[in-house]
Amino acid sequence: MQIAMIGGGAVGQALGAGLIRLGHQVVIGIRSPSEAELAKPRSQAKPLAEWSAATGGRVASMAEAAAGAEVVFNTSNGAGSLAALHLAGAENLAGKLLVDVANPLDFSQGFPPFLIREFSGPTSLGEQIQAAFPRARVVKAFNTVANAVMVDPALAGGPHDLFLAGNDAAAKAEVQEIARGFGWQTFVDLGDITGARASEAILPLWVRLFVTGGSPAFNLHVQRG
Ligand SMILES: NC(=O)c1ccc[n+]([C@@H]2O[C@H](COP(=O)([O-])OP(=O)(O)OC[C@H]3O[C@@H](n4cnc5c(N)ncnc54)[C@H](OP(=O)(O)O)[C@@H]3O)[C@@H](O)[C@H]2O)c1
């Protein structure tokens, strides 16, 4: 499949590389895909020129990446995701599976971050993305694990779960199919896209577990009696 990553940080690079290893064609979309921009070091990720050389994936504008894709991943910064997806273009997202991996985190007061008020409470980033792009089939997924775990769930030991939320059952099944390719085995369906409120709200707990445990190689598992 042709897959776009809207956002070229650690997540876009890790998921993109993982999808290329599964045989997909991946284009990462960023705002200004100039040669100078591709050569620049990125926070917690390699320069995109190095990513391209290592994986064979391409880098383009957000609109070009989305236009050529059958499936789009939102791997942009949560605070800028609506802007990034507007740059990707509503027409280029229409009818497509849009996997929303972003978290609405505010780092303005340092670490640990907290949820951005505008995207929390009786709303969420996932819901606002679905409302802004009603023709996209938005599934909130992968946002509750570290990028290395997204594409290699065995890193967290087992068993552990991938949380999904979205209005379109077929779209959630497509995400599960992609995730199974990475080795994911168990899924927790949080219902329609309002379930994104719950999975985004896991982030403060995730960050705390990361700090106290000292490693991002962990995940949550729901055990029902
Ligand atoms: N790091 C993890 O392991 C992890 C795990 C789960 C979920 N997440 C979530 O995944 C997302 C990506 O995280 P990340 O660490 O890879 O990268 P990030 O630094 O949060 O985001 C990088 C991307 O966001 C784009 N961006 C930022 N502000 C923008 C704006 N105002 N308009 C348009 N685009 C904008 C940047 O575009 P340019 O390239 O053009 O600058 C860049 O490509 C985040 O929402 C994060 O919360 C991260």
Side-chain angles (χ1 to χ4, degrees):
M1 267 190 310
Q2 304 280 349
I3 303 182
M5 301 288 138
I6 304 302
V11 174
Q13 292 192 22
L15 272 173
L19 289 163
I20 289 169
R21 285 194 293 275
L22 295 181
H24 300 291
Q25 284 85 50
V26 173
V27 180
I28 287 181
I30 61 170
R31 284 172 287 189
S32 310
S34 63
E35 227 169 272
E37 183 65 28
L38 267 57
K40 267 192 357 201
R42 303 200 140 233
S43 154
Q44 305 189 17
K46 48 176 82 134
L48 282 162
E50 277 181 33
W51 178 85
S52 279
T55 62
R58 276 202 316 120
V59 181
S61 70
M62 290 176 170
E64 188 188 335
E70 301 160 77
V71 170
V72 178
F73 281 70
N74 173 31
T75 54
S76 64
N77 187 275
S81 284
L82 287 170
L85 292 170
H86 279 295
L87 288 173
E91 281 308 317
N92 295 328
L93 302 175
K96 295 178 184 173
L97 169 60
L98 173 56
V99 186
D100 176 27
V101 186
N103 285 308
L105 295 178
D106 185 334
F107 287 89
S108 64
Q109 291 175 41
F111 197 86
F114 50 89
L115 292 174
I116 299 174
R117 186 183 292 265
E118 174 191 350
F119 297 117
S120 56
T123 182
S124 61
L125 179 59
E127 283 167 87
Q128 292 195 30
I129 289 172
Q130 182 65 85
F133 302 94
R135 289 182 294 156
R137 301 153 65 223
V138 178
V139 177
K140 189 93 206 179
F142 293 106
N143 63 306
T144 55
V145 288
N147 62 81
V149 176
M150 292 175 194
V151 295
D152 187 4
L155 287 177
H160 61 94
D161 304 324
L162 192 65
F163 294 92
L164 307 165
N167 297 340
D168 182 326
K172 286 191 278 195
E174 287 167 44
V175 174
Q176 290 190 25
E177 195 52 39
I178 292 169
R180 279 198 191 91
F182 293 137
W184 285 93
Q185 292 175 7
T186 55
F187 302 90
V188 175
D189 189 336
L190 296 172
D192 66 20
I193 193 63
T194 61
R197 294 178 198 179
S199 68
E200 292 172 15
I202 288 174
L203 262 291
L205 171 65
W206 188 95
V207 170
R208 188 60 61 171
L209 291 169
F210 170 56
V211 171
T212 54
S215 161
F218 68 90
N219 191 17
L220 304 180
H221 176 53
V222 176
Q223 184 69 53
R224 296 189 196 267

